[in-house]
Amino acid sequence: MTKIVARDRLMFALDVPSAVEADRLLDQLQGHLTFVKVGLELYTAAGPEMVKRIVERGMRVFLDLKFLDIEETVRRATSRVAAMEVEFLTVHANRKALIAAVQGREGSSLKLLAVTVLTNFDGNDLREMGIQRTVQDLVTARALLASEVGCDGVVASGEEATALRQKVGPHFTIVTPGVRPAGKGVDDHARATTPTQTIAAGADYLVIGRPIRDAVDPAATVASILAEMQVAFDARV
């Protein structure tokens, strides 16, 4: 079995308000990580040009825009993303939106991740939305839908990864946000897990933002996280 390299599986959430701040952090982390997640805040501030600059640094990009709109809009927007050399794109796990995204990325190497249930949601949040299923049941149902329509994986918390892996098999990608090193606060994530817990549960990629972004020494923090991740991946294999 091919050895999993932790450095290829850590996605740094570059959640900053400007291109200047993004470049400052990327300068510090150049050579220390390979994957960057660009979300709504940075994309709104700096747009496709920022994505292009990250790609030109030789880094892989996870574009976390969580598309959800009418089919034509999702299809055309996904087609635009596919031309940006982005590796992953998120789409909310709505059947029509997912199918449109699959159509929009046709002919490209873009991988699609279905957003199941946001990691700051719990059962009470679902009930307020009129959803009577448990978080686990809803995440599983949406993951199976994503697999059915041709997506490459899902975004789900570490609490659901074990059950998901049993349902979707070994080749369906599970990306887990809300990961926090032991001893760090969980911020606004209701279902946070540590790197070790997340990997043991079966996740393929870990998304970590604030613990790195807000660290006194971001590069040293990345090194510490990667060391923990590598031990966990080696133990899982």
Side-chain angles (χ1 to χ4, degrees), residues 31-218:
H32 295 277
L33 50 76
T34 59
F35 232 126
V36 176
K37 182 186 82 74
V38 175
L40 289 172
E41 181 182 15
L42 181 57
Y43 196 79
T44 300
E49 179 61 28
M50 188 72 239
V51 174
K52 179 181 178 182
R53 282 156 59 179
I54 296 171
V55 171
E56 288 174 346
R57 285 175 176 268
M59 293 179 169
R60 302 158 73 188
V61 177
F62 166 26
L63 192 56
D64 186 23
L65 298 184
K66 301 181 178 71
F67 285 172
L68 178 61
D69 212 309
I70 63 171
E71 294 99 304
E72 179 69 1
T73 298
V74 172
R75 184 163 44 247
R76 290 170 66 89
T78 302
S79 179
R80 300 284 76 76
V81 171
M84 295 166 61
E85 299 183 55
V86 166
E87 189 154 341
F88 287 106
L89 170 70
T90 48
V91 182
H92 274 288
N94 166 275
R95 180 180 292 274
K96 290 181 178 179
L98 293 178
I99 291 173
V102 169
Q103 293 169 345
R105 66 92 182 263
E106 187 174 354
S108 77
S109 61
L110 177 65
K111 297 180 178 66
L112 298 174
L113 301 172
V115 179
T116 54
V117 176
L118 298 177
T119 54
N120 66 324
F121 281 14
D122 59 20
N124 291 327
D125 296 303
L126 296 186
R127 284 188 288 276
E128 285 186 1
M129 297 166 64
I131 299 172
Q132 300 307 313
R133 287 178 168 178
T134 65
V135 170
Q136 179 67 70
D137 287 346
L138 185 58
V139 168
T140 300
R142 288 178 169 173
L144 291 173
L145 168 63
S147 178
E148 174 193 334
V149 303
C151 290
D152 302 280
V154 292
V155 178
S157 89
E159 290 188 3
E160 293 90 44
T162 299
L164 279 185
R165 184 58 70 204
Q166 295 171 355
K167 294 288 186 179
V168 300
H171 303 300
F172 199 63
T173 300
I174 299 175
V175 175
T176 297
V179 179
R180 292 291 181 268
K184 299 293 184 181
V186 299
D187 299 308
D188 50 3
H189 296 286
R191 307 189 323 278
T193 49
T194 68
T196 298
Q197 291 170 334
T198 306
I199 292 167
D204 298 296
Y205 294 88
L206 282 62
V207 181
I208 303 179
R210 280 169 278 191
I212 298 171
R213 182 197 67 190
D214 300 339
V216 174
D217 187 340

Side-chain angles (χ1 to χ4, degrees), residues 20-36:
V20 171
E21 182 66 10
D23 283 331
R24 184 188 67 80
L25 272 169
L26 291 175
D27 285 344
Q28 294 181 60
L29 295 170
Q30 188 78 41
H32 295 277
L33 50 76
T34 59
F35 232 126
V36 176

